[in-house]
Amino acid sequence: MRVVRSIRTMQRLVSQAKRSGKRVGFVPTMGALHDGHRSLLRRCRRENDLAVLSIFVNPKQFGLREDFAKYPRREHDDKKLAKKEKVDIMFVPSVKEMYPEGYLTYIEVEKMTQFLCGRSRPGHFKGVTTVVGKLLNIVTPDVLYLGQKDAQQAAVLKRMARDLNFPVAVRVCPTVREADGLAMSSRNQYLPAGQRREAAVLYRALREARQGVAAGNRSSAGIAGGIRSRIGRESSGRIDYIECVDADTILPLKRIQGKTIIALAVWFGKTRLIDNIIVRT
Ligand code: PAF
């Protein structure tokens, strides 16, 4: 596996691979890799000739009071995991390499970024689309792999790729969960033991919501209310949002219909966790 830090080298290696007819798969991450990332890397490895992983903690997607400084950075461990998963290239640019002095250009997807995490984290998705747009231009993959855990991010990036004609197929892979159902996230490690135990309520509440929909409950307010009261009964979590949104447009739905994402963000102490499930009616 090659560790590449410069954009020019990354571009040169991919264009060589493409000239010899190789199909390129790409998994963008911010590192602190866990089994969720591992499942993306495995699929990327299986489906492509060249598997590229990027690790870049992107300052432009963190708000001023968010956890950019304390976000876990584990390049050594990440490298071991990437090698084990047979990644060909691990791209680890510096902030200066990605955003040199005088950087001025941004990508913004409208409307779909106004709800859920977009409402609670103003500017977050502008940072995500900008960095992923840049990474797509640098890596020029045939296939981009994203996780369903970040459902809004996946929908926004799909839309960006479509609207801006990036020649890439986007694959959204299922959320990987801990044994008690908690969605894997690099932020789980912030949780002290008590909050970590409590956080398993999120998936229990989402599963109960899915049963409610299966039993015929179509009211978004009713479904959100059920989730809210279960979280309140079984944990000290503080709810940021619980919403039912259309899976493609990410616009809130009054009544659940078609492919719907039931999504939530909940604070446990200073850690904000997100999770979601998809239901179809
Ligand atoms: O999901 C993430 O880890 C990040 O938002 C991403 C897609 C790598 C962009 O920085």
Side-chain angles (χ1 to χ4, degrees):
M1 184 181 77
R2 255 184 100 156
V3 177
V4 172
R5 295 182 196 277
S6 107
I7 291 174
R8 281 187 57 180
T9 309
M10 187 64 239
Q11 286 172 321
R12 183 172 49 76
L13 291 174
V14 180
S15 66
Q16 271 167 9
K18 287 195 146 181
R19 269 201 303 278
S20 56
K22 287 189 173 162
R23 179 179 152 102
V24 179
F26 177 45
V27 180
T29 78
M30 298 204 297
L33 302 179
H34 50 65
D35 283 354
H37 298 116
R38 199 190 290 268
S39 78
L40 301 181
L41 291 172
R42 287 196 176 156
R43 183 155 176 209
C44 176
R45 175 68 290 163
R46 239 186 3 257
E47 296 179 350
N48 299 280
D49 305 306
L50 190 82
V52 180
L53 158 72
S54 70
I55 295 182
F56 179 62
V57 185
N58 173 32
K60 297 210 183 280
Q61 69 187 73
F62 289 81
L64 276 180
R65 280 195 285 277
E66 293 185 350
D67 57 342
F68 174 68
K70 78 164 190 184
Y71 197 86
R73 287 156 173 90
R74 304 252 162 77
E75 190 180 319
H76 182 71
D77 294 343
D78 289 348
K79 194 171 159 188
K80 279 209 269 190
L81 185 148
K83 262 189 178 163
K84 223 167 150 196
E85 298 306 330
K86 302 191 173 60
V87 167
D88 296 302
I89 301 176
M90 181 166 126
F91 179 48
V92 196
S94 65
V95 171
K96 215 165 148 211
E97 182 72 357
M98 289 296 276
Y99 304 116
E101 186 115 357
Y103 187 89
L104 289 175
T105 306
Y106 294 85
I107 299 175
E108 200 156 11
V109 174
E110 297 179 343
K111 288 192 178 156
M112 314 173 64
T113 52
Q114 281 171 10
F115 302 97
L116 310 181
C117 293
R119 183 181 278 150
S120 324
R121 303 183 67 189
H124 168 68
F125 285 112
K126 184 174 166 187
V128 170
T129 43
T130 298
V131 80
V132 175
K134 278 176 68 74
L135 289 166
L136 289 176
N137 280 332
I138 295 163
V139 178
T140 61
D142 297 291
V143 193
L144 170 69
Y145 295 87
L146 300 168
Q148 180 60 39
K149 200 209 90 193
D150 298 296
Q152 186 176 20
Q153 169 172 281
V156 166
L157 290 174
K158 259 188 174 174
R159 181 60 67 106
M160 176 192 80
R162 191 177 99 183
D163 287 354
L164 295 183
N165 309 98
F166 283 99
V168 67
V170 182
R171 302 268 181 272
V172 182
C173 307
T175 302
V176 178
R177 298 182 179 280
E178 303 281 0
D180 64 359
L182 180 65
M184 296 224 174
S185 161
S186 306
R187 290 190 169 99
N188 290 351
Q189 57 196 271
Y190 297 155
L191 298 169
Q195 286 170 7
R196 167 63 193 81
R197 264 193 309 277
E198 286 188 4
V201 70
L202 301 184
Y203 190 50
R204 287 199 296 277
L206 286 171
R207 279 202 337 242
E208 189 175 66
R210 178 155 55 203
Q211 284 162 8
V213 175
N217 188 352
R218 296 287 180 271
S219 153
S220 295
I223 290 291
I227 295 175
R228 183 178 297 276
S229 54
R230 180 136 197 194
I231 293 173
R233 270 197 321 274
E234 297 180 17
S235 79
S236 61
R238 283 175 295 115
I239 288 158
D240 175 0
Y241 66 72
I242 302 168
E243 295 241 31
C244 302
V245 298
D246 179 273
D248 296 318
T249 63
I250 311 293
L251 296 179
L253 297 169
K254 279 212 162 81
R255 293 194 63 74
I256 293 173
Q257 54 183 20
K259 190 175 169 194
T260 302
I261 296 174
I262 306 176
L264 51 76
V266 177
W267 288 94
F268 288 88
K270 290 188 178 142
T271 307
R272 182 175 170 279
L273 300 179
I274 59 170
D275 200 353
N276 68 85
I277 50 164
I278 295 182
V279 293
R280 289 179 176 81
T281 61

